[in-house]
Amino acid sequence: MKRESKPMQIGRVTIGGGNPIAIQSMLNTDTRDVAASLRQLQALEQAGCEIARLAVPDMEAAQALADIKKGTSLPLVADIHFDYRLALAACQSGVDKIRINPGNIGEKWKIREVANACAARGIPIRIGVNGGSVDQDLRREYGVTPYTLYRSAVRNIEALQECGFENICVSLKASNVFSTIEAYRLLAAECDYPLHLGVTEAGSRHMGTIKSAAAFGALLCDGIGDTIRVSLTDDPVLEVEAARDILKALDLHQSGVTIVSCPTCGRTCIDLIPIAQAVEARLKHVRARITVAVMGCVVNGPGEAREADLGICGGKGEGLIIRKGEILRKVPEDRLVDELLREVEALTGERV
Ligand code: SF4
């Protein structure tokens, strides 16, 4: 059962309210470098990113957002820490959402200024609580735990509510998977604000993807989560690809090819591993929501391929091309990938 959350408009994307789970990433360009930021935004959008966040370390960056905004239709989120004036300037630049941690913005009147500026423009605010930024007193008393993440989030929510501001989404990111899961569960049970899922400082491409998949898997299977960001110490485009693949693995994706491939074994008589890799690489950008099976032999091959939209089933130096369970033809091993891709083009109308 999906947790019921309030819908929230972020530029052209709506999260929460039963909408599809949106994929986010964060640029690693210098926001003041408008051309470089626009190049990365384009690459992210092409990979399937739906919402992009940019760091706003100073006033020049906040003002550069206005030019970046003119060059992209992706919804932009301004990431603000400490200085409320940067949030006000980012609002003026026309961003679609602000990410703050009210706990580090300072006095109440500063939080109110930000809330009023966002309310005047209909811009939502994400309260981004991280393991490193839980409230000092809670940290001293309990350390960084799921409870302190959750309590910090509740305090921050109340700080915005006191300003009459309710257009809120929340994240509670720890770098520990269990803490992250538990913190989100605590908050999810208590409010209906949309939740942005993330594991902070998750790590490199390999481990960061696995940690994110473990945390998101548990939460999304509970119906918790409205938008996701995989944090990787790597190219942000890889974050988007990882997020997309996690959603595919959970059958929550709206587009893209799901590949079913066998692990190979002593019965495999074709060189299946490079075949599966080539198929995955060539189909990465296909939008149609189809399943393609890449199977090594007739033990499970025809069965899996029957469930898929298209498939190949290896034999000895050759293989079968199968469409919705029907064998179309037998082709030599070196033609298998091209023949399969031809069928994908015919089925989807997309170029691969
Ligand atoms: S489908 Fe065939 S080749 Fe692949 S793992 Fe199963 S038995 Fe082995």
Side-chain angles (χ1 to χ4, degrees):
M1 280 289 284
K2 178 112 180 77
R3 165 181 171 264
E4 277 182 32
S5 56
K6 288 183 188 170
M8 166 183 278
Q9 198 67 36
I10 307 162
R12 67 186 186 194
V13 174
T14 310
I15 63 163
N19 283 284
I21 293 155
I23 295 173
Q24 307 209 16
S25 184
M26 184 166 181
L27 278 69
N28 60 7
T29 53
D30 182 337
T31 305
R32 293 166 300 190
D33 186 342
V34 173
S37 298
L38 282 173
R39 272 197 303 277
Q40 195 166 64
L41 279 165
Q42 201 178 10
L44 287 171
E45 185 167 18
Q46 211 167 10
C49 180
E50 295 166 287
I51 301 167
R53 182 157 50 113
L54 298 97
V56 186
D58 59 24
M59 207 41 99
E60 204 187 322
Q63 283 156 359
L65 287 170
D67 289 327
I68 295 172
K69 189 75 190 127
K70 283 184 207 138
T72 182
S73 59
L74 261 188
L76 300 184
V77 184
D79 192 78
I80 312 285
H81 286 277
F82 308 118
D83 190 344
Y84 80 104
R85 289 167 302 187
L86 297 178
L88 300 184
C91 285
Q92 286 244 293
S93 289
V95 295
D96 302 290
K97 184 173 154 196
I98 300 277
R99 178 270 165 120
I100 57 168
N101 181 341
N104 73 26
I105 290 293
E107 296 95 315
K108 273 192 182 156
W109 66 268
K110 292 179 181 169
I111 297 169
R112 187 173 293 278
E113 290 264 324
V114 176
N116 288 346
C118 289
R121 291 173 174 77
I123 302 173
I125 294 177
R126 168 159 71 93
I127 295 169
V129 176
N130 278 8
S133 67
V134 295
D135 292 355
Q136 289 295 331
D137 59 324
L138 291 169
R139 180 199 290 266
R140 267 194 305 274
E141 197 166 347
Y142 305 102
V144 177
T145 66
Y147 176 75
T148 50
L149 284 161
Y150 151 79
R151 276 303 304 162
S152 285
V154 170
R155 284 182 181 178
N156 285 319
I157 290 169
E158 286 168 358
L160 287 179
Q161 286 172 334
E162 280 168 26
C163 303
F165 193 88
E166 290 273 356
N167 196 6
I168 299 168
C169 82
V170 188
S171 62
L172 314 105
K173 304 182 184 181
S175 64
N176 174 282
V177 170
F178 277 107
S179 298
T180 302
I181 294 169
E182 198 47 39
Y184 276 103
R185 282 181 176 155
L186 286 169
L187 189 67
E190 197 148 303
C191 71
D192 61 359
Y193 294 122
L195 296 178
H196 162 127
L197 302 187
V199 176
T200 193
E201 288 102 34
S204 61
R205 180 182 189 184
H206 179 73
M207 209 51 213
T209 301
I210 289 177
K211 283 176 79 171
S212 302
F216 298 177
L219 290 165
L220 291 169
C221 287
D222 277 357
I224 297 170
D226 302 288
T227 176
I228 61 172
R229 188 237 170 154
V230 174
S231 301
L232 300 180
T233 314
D234 215 316
D235 185 337
V237 167
L238 299 177
E239 297 188 347
V240 174
E241 291 179 1
R244 215 177 51 197
D245 290 344
I246 292 170
L247 292 181
K248 274 188 199 170
L250 294 165
D251 228 358
L252 291 169
H253 61 303
Q254 298 305 304
S255 66
V257 180
T258 299
I259 295 183
V260 176
S261 61
C262 86
T264 73
C265 74
R267 290 189 193 88
T268 322
C269 291
I270 56 169
D271 200 3
L272 195 74
I273 296 171
I275 291 176
Q277 287 168 344
V279 169
E280 187 172 77
R282 294 285 299 274
L283 299 184
K284 206 159 81 173
H285 298 296
V286 170
R287 296 273 166 185
R289 197 176 165 184
I290 58 167
T291 301
V292 173
V294 180
M295 304 299 292
C297 80
V298 292
V299 172
N300 291 320
E304 287 291 349
R306 198 179 310 123
E307 301 299 314
D309 296 290
L310 285 164
I312 56 178
C313 175
K316 203 166 186 161
E318 60 187 13
L320 302 172
I321 302 285
I322 300 171
R323 187 179 56 204
K324 296 189 191 295
E326 181 198 346
I327 296 174
L328 297 182
R329 57 193 173 273
K330 190 184 275 187
V331 297
E333 181 174 346
D334 62 356
R335 294 283 316 143
L336 268 174
V337 174
D338 286 343
E339 293 286 327
L340 176 71
L341 297 178
R342 220 177 76 191
E343 293 301 327
V344 172
E345 285 189 343
L347 183 68
T348 64
E350 294 183 55
R351 287 201 58 123
V352 297

